[in-house]
Amino acid sequence: MDMWAAFIEGHGGNEVVAVGQRPMPERPAGHVLVRLHAATLNRVDLYMRNSGAGITHQLPQILGLDGAGTVAAVDADDPLLRPGQRVVLHPGIGCGRCEFCQRGEGVLCVRMRLLGEHRDGSFAQYVSLPASNVFPMPEGLSFAEAAALGVNHLTAWRMLFTQARLKPWETVLVFGVGGGVSLAALQLAKGTGARVIVTSRDNRKLERALAMGADHAINGQTEDVAQAVMAVTGGRGVDVVFENVGAAVWSAALKSLVRGGRLVTCGATTGDQPPADLRRIFIRQLQILGSTLGDFDEFRDLLGWVGRTGLKPVIDSTYPLAQVHAALDRLESGEQFGKVALQID
Ligand SMILES: [Zn+2]
């Protein structure tokens, strides 16, 4: 039996992305077959399309990291899941055997396989994955909103709360608001009561972020970000910088931190080799924290919190699976505010 999917047949532009029939995945015991109804796009989808260098994978491969849908098949004795249940996916499949998996930090697994990167992903009618990666969906969300939680909000959750240990009385500076993970950071940080300063080069995105509750907005193109941060913090600086822009903002990010402040990063879209400014780091005792994705327990906590607070991820636009090329173009344009979603019928 076959299913519809969007998959890469090579590496290059949109012409290597096909929408067509792929074999239905097998469901081994202990796995769940999920009928997907929505997925959202992440920058790594563009990376897999364009090169995929350094990521072990086989062509053709179905794109897509996150997703939400309903359980199509599951072991009869599964303690949590039943056929027809609405579920959301955690995209990281650890080996369960390495030292990091053994100590409960599967997110550090040395053999981690991610949907849409190392194996077939979520831009498909069906996906089969270990039951531990399939979570009941919070009430009140659309499938697209739920799908967005699996990468962006999980990543932002770990960055803010586990790595940077953000407190409700602190101030966090979020660079590049408008992207999915930065908007997730704005939502989660505001949800704790923290003060949030956002930056963007686009005034329309800043206005939307202010409407969502951001306390201050700085245009990174027309203003000196570090100076503006000092102005709104009384010359003190922020406790936490949340950053995935990289080289273009690194210097401003370090200069915006209070003494002993924490910078947490999960990306480097403008370059990954900025000057380190080591003297500033050791004299001011700054902490530089790396982060990527999040663990199962963090995802469970996030989903519970979303269910109680009614948080809804921001969806920029939704395309049918057959128009995946237009969706990829929308993401690549950088014009989006929130997630670009695929509806899978
Ligand atoms: Zn492992």
Side-chain angles (χ1 to χ4, degrees):
M1 208 171 117
D2 285 347
M3 63 172 183
W4 288 97
F7 51 93
I8 45 172
E9 298 179 299
H11 299 291
N14 264 342
E15 61 276 10
V16 304
V17 181
V19 179
Q21 299 274 306
R22 295 292 301 152
M24 279 277 287
E26 302 278 329
R27 184 188 76 85
H31 282 227
V32 180
L33 184 68
V34 176
R35 169 66 171 92
L36 290 154
H37 294 296
T40 72
L41 277 66
N42 294 283
R43 291 208 69 84
V44 71
D45 298 316
L46 293 173
Y47 182 77
M48 292 306 295
R49 181 197 69 180
N50 294 344
S51 92
I55 296 176
T56 304
H57 63 287
Q58 290 185 326
L59 298 175
Q61 180 168 281
I62 298 170
L63 289 167
L65 269 80
D66 57 37
T70 51
V71 173
V74 59
D75 291 349
D77 60 356
D78 188 280
L80 288 178
L81 302 172
R82 298 287 174 270
Q85 188 169 352
R86 292 151 68 95
V87 291
V88 53
L89 309 184
H90 182 298
I93 299 167
C95 74
R97 304 289 294 279
C98 71
E99 75 169 278
F100 306 101
C101 286
Q102 285 183 337
R103 72 184 192 208
E105 296 185 283
V107 73
L108 297 177
C109 176
V110 295
R111 287 180 285 270
M112 170 82 90
R113 297 172 73 236
L114 289 159
L115 294 182
E117 292 189 46
H118 308 90
R119 51 153 285 168
D120 279 338
S122 58
F123 295 175
Q125 289 182 302
Y126 292 91
V127 68
S128 174
L129 70 179
S132 52
N133 289 79
V134 181
F135 289 74
M137 202 172 117
E139 297 290 324
L141 297 187
S142 69
F143 285 114
E145 289 165 343
L149 299 172
V151 174
N152 280 174
H153 284 70
L154 177 58
T155 300
W157 181 278
R158 179 173 176 83
M159 289 173 76
L160 287 175
F161 304 137
T162 306
Q163 306 290 56
R165 308 173 308 281
L166 178 71
K167 308 294 189 300
W169 53 88
E170 290 186 326
T171 302
V172 56
L173 171 63
V174 177
F175 276 95
V177 79
V181 72
S182 303
L183 277 176
L186 167 61
Q187 291 181 306
L188 296 175
K190 283 313 298 178
T192 70
R195 179 163 63 154
V196 182
I197 305 171
V198 297
T199 82
S200 170
R201 297 155 64 92
D202 183 336
N203 281 331
R204 290 168 306 172
K205 293 185 179 181
L206 292 175
E207 283 161 20
R208 293 187 68 175
L210 287 168
M212 287 173 60
D215 296 277
H216 299 280
I218 300 169
N219 186 313
Q221 193 150 37
T222 59
E223 297 178 72
D224 180 313
V225 171
Q227 277 181 13
V229 165
M230 289 303 159
V232 298
T233 58
R236 177 181 179 273
V238 299
D239 304 282
V240 172
V241 166
F242 183 102
E243 173 345 59
N244 66 349
V245 179
V249 306
W250 191 256
S251 172
L254 292 180
K255 288 176 181 164
S256 298
L257 281 169
V258 68
R259 287 174 172 260
R262 296 92 74 193
L263 184 157
V264 62
T265 175
C266 73
T269 48
T270 62
D272 62 0
Q273 301 289 333
D277 202 354
L278 292 178
R279 189 175 293 118
R280 175 176 296 272
I281 290 172
F282 67 71
I283 288 176
R284 298 178 71 85
Q285 304 200 35
L286 307 179
Q287 297 180 43
I288 311 296
L289 304 159
S291 197
T292 189
L293 203 62
D295 258 321
F296 291 150
D297 64 330
E298 291 165 320
F299 198 38
R300 185 197 59 223
D301 291 343
L302 164 66
L303 295 174
W305 192 80
V306 167
R308 290 194 301 277
T309 60
L311 178 150
K312 286 189 196 302
V314 180
I315 303 298
D316 169 80
S317 48
T318 303
Y319 298 82
L321 181 65
Q323 290 176 25
V324 64
H325 304 99
L328 289 163
D329 286 344
R330 176 70 183 165
L331 177 63
E332 196 160 38
S333 75
E335 296 289 311
Q336 78 280 5
F337 187 86
K339 296 300 283 178
V340 179
L342 289 176
Q343 184 179 334
I344 304 167
D345 293 322

